Amino acid sequence: MTAKIIDGKEFAAKVRAKVGEHVARLKKDHGITPGLAVVLVGEDPASEVYVRNKGKSTVEVGMNSVEHKLDADTSEADLLALIDQLNNDPAIHGILCQLPLPKHLNEELVINSISPEKDVDGFHISNVGMLSTGQKSMVPCTPLGCLMMLRDHLGSLSGLNAVVVGRSNIVGKPMANLLLKDSCTVTIAHSRTKNIEEVVRAADIVVAAVGRPEMITGDWIGEGATVIDVGINRIPHPEKEGKNKLVGDVHFASAVEKTGAITPVPGGVGPMTIACLLANTVTACSRANGLEEPEGLTA
Ligand code: GUN
């Protein structure tokens, strides 16, 4: 079988273009510019790169971007005061507090202090609860991106067997809830799952989010399955000494022989995460103003 390689870069560009169109309409018809605030505490180099990329992408689609960079030793009280200020700022429609936070700060407390309506990460406990009960909520960006790609490739997901490998709060669990909402039969497999290969082989849809390099090999994949690989793992390059190579949780070369469609790493799910952050921000802005939500950008 010749697998379709799902191009996440191209798909993310389409999502960003859709967000841009909706932003332009909000500005023209209602005089509203969506605003995203990103809070970074400390100087983690990887987080600084993410935050810079988020700010750049936000401005590119015509939204306002506000960055708050706080010292690594910022007190919890000061961080909560900033979030309170952003919660009450009508020009800010989305708030993202970059994780991980320095150890002295309580991540759960900080995330749950963001207004659920402005929680564009979808990490607030109210959003988690609303998603799991099938109510309208803010949805975590990576699973939302996976869902968009699955819907684009397969159309209706109703009745399909979906196996999510990995049970994290950020990807595995929300992904399972989204697939259930789209009427899939959903299994969450994880490190303790018995006969995991067989479980995965029975799936029409496999979403791999375990964080173990190339764990899922071609012999685990049912003929024609659609495979979404969320893993981003750095391993020593097999041919170039001293260099690293990015691989997913799926062994691409063997899996591609079996799948109907598959996302590569890099260039698959990765680019979708920021695109979905922008989508969530324009959705939050539309909801805050009682306006129609952007079509095709929500769960
Ligand atoms: N750190 C790494 N990924 C993310 C993300 O998606 N959201 C937040 N808030 N922090 C992160």
Side-chain angles (χ1 to χ4, degrees):
M1 172 168 284
T2 315
K4 175 187 159 71
I5 312 293
I6 300 174
D7 185 338
K9 246 171 128 173
E10 189 184 305
F11 199 89
K14 282 189 198 159
V15 171
R16 287 198 304 272
K18 252 193 229 175
V19 171
E21 281 166 25
H22 200 80
V23 170
R25 249 194 324 272
L26 282 171
K27 285 185 184 174
K28 183 165 164 282
D29 297 347
H30 305 282
I32 301 165
T33 304
L36 172 64
V38 177
V39 179
L40 174 63
V41 187
E43 284 155 13
D44 177 67
S47 291
E48 282 185 335
V49 173
Y50 287 136
V51 167
R52 203 176 318 126
N53 287 341
K54 284 169 186 169
K56 194 166 152 262
S57 306
T58 305
V59 172
E60 275 169 9
V61 293
M63 302 199 287
N64 289 329
S65 165
V66 181
E67 273 178 33
H68 290 270
K69 291 191 173 173
L70 307 181
D71 291 338
D73 61 358
T74 297
S75 71
E76 201 161 84
D78 283 351
L79 177 57
L80 294 177
L82 171 61
I83 291 175
D84 186 53
Q85 180 200 315
L86 296 170
N87 282 341
N88 289 300
D89 184 342
I92 295 297
H93 306 94
I95 303 169
L96 180 146
C97 190
Q98 185 69 25
L99 303 177
L101 289 172
K103 292 224 172 0
H104 68 284
L105 300 170
N106 179 339
E107 249 173 42
E108 258 177 33
L109 180 76
V110 170
I111 295 300
N112 288 329
S113 72
I114 296 172
S115 283
E117 298 79 13
K118 296 189 179 188
D119 165 38
V120 282
D121 264 325
F123 294 166
H124 190 289
I125 194 67
S126 296
N127 282 317
V128 175
M130 287 194 284
L131 174 60
S132 68
T133 49
Q135 298 176 66
K136 194 182 269 191
S137 65
M138 295 310 299
V139 173
C141 302
T142 301
L144 178 59
C146 296
L147 182 75
M148 284 181 188
M149 291 196 282
L150 285 167
R151 284 176 174 169
D152 182 68
H153 178 64
L154 293 166
S156 168
L157 309 183
S158 180
L160 297 178
N161 268 330
V163 174
V164 179
V165 189
R167 53 178 158 176
S168 71
N169 290 335
I170 293 179
V171 184
K173 287 177 196 160
M175 188 74 244
N177 276 319
L178 286 170
L179 292 164
L180 196 55
K181 208 157 162 256
D182 267 26
S183 300
C184 290
T185 302
V186 182
T187 304
I188 302 182
H190 48 79
S191 55
R192 302 287 178 91
T193 300
K194 277 192 220 163
N195 303 324
I196 190 165
E197 291 96 329
E198 274 170 44
V199 172
V200 173
R201 213 174 287 126
D204 303 305
I205 293 169
V206 180
V207 180
V210 266
R212 293 188 56 185
E214 299 179 320
M215 181 178 98
I216 299 168
T217 47
D219 55 326
W220 293 35
I221 304 290
E223 202 69 47
T226 304
V227 175
I228 306 290
D229 190 353
V230 182
I232 299 177
N233 309 291
R234 232 169 269 278
I235 61 164
H237 201 290
E239 285 129 36
K240 297 178 190 161
E241 210 178 306
K243 297 257 183 223
N244 286 330
K245 182 186 175 199
L246 272 191
V247 297
D249 293 345
V250 177
H251 185 268
F252 187 86
S254 59
V256 75
E257 300 289 324
K258 302 284 283 298
T259 57
I262 184 167
T263 60
V265 177
V269 175
M272 287 297 288
T273 300
I274 290 186
C276 287
L277 172 68
L278 306 176
N280 276 347
T281 305
V282 80
T283 298
C285 177
S286 304
R287 287 179 183 166
N289 288 283
L291 300 168
E292 220 171 286
E293 289 179 16
E295 212 173 300
L297 296 178
T298 56

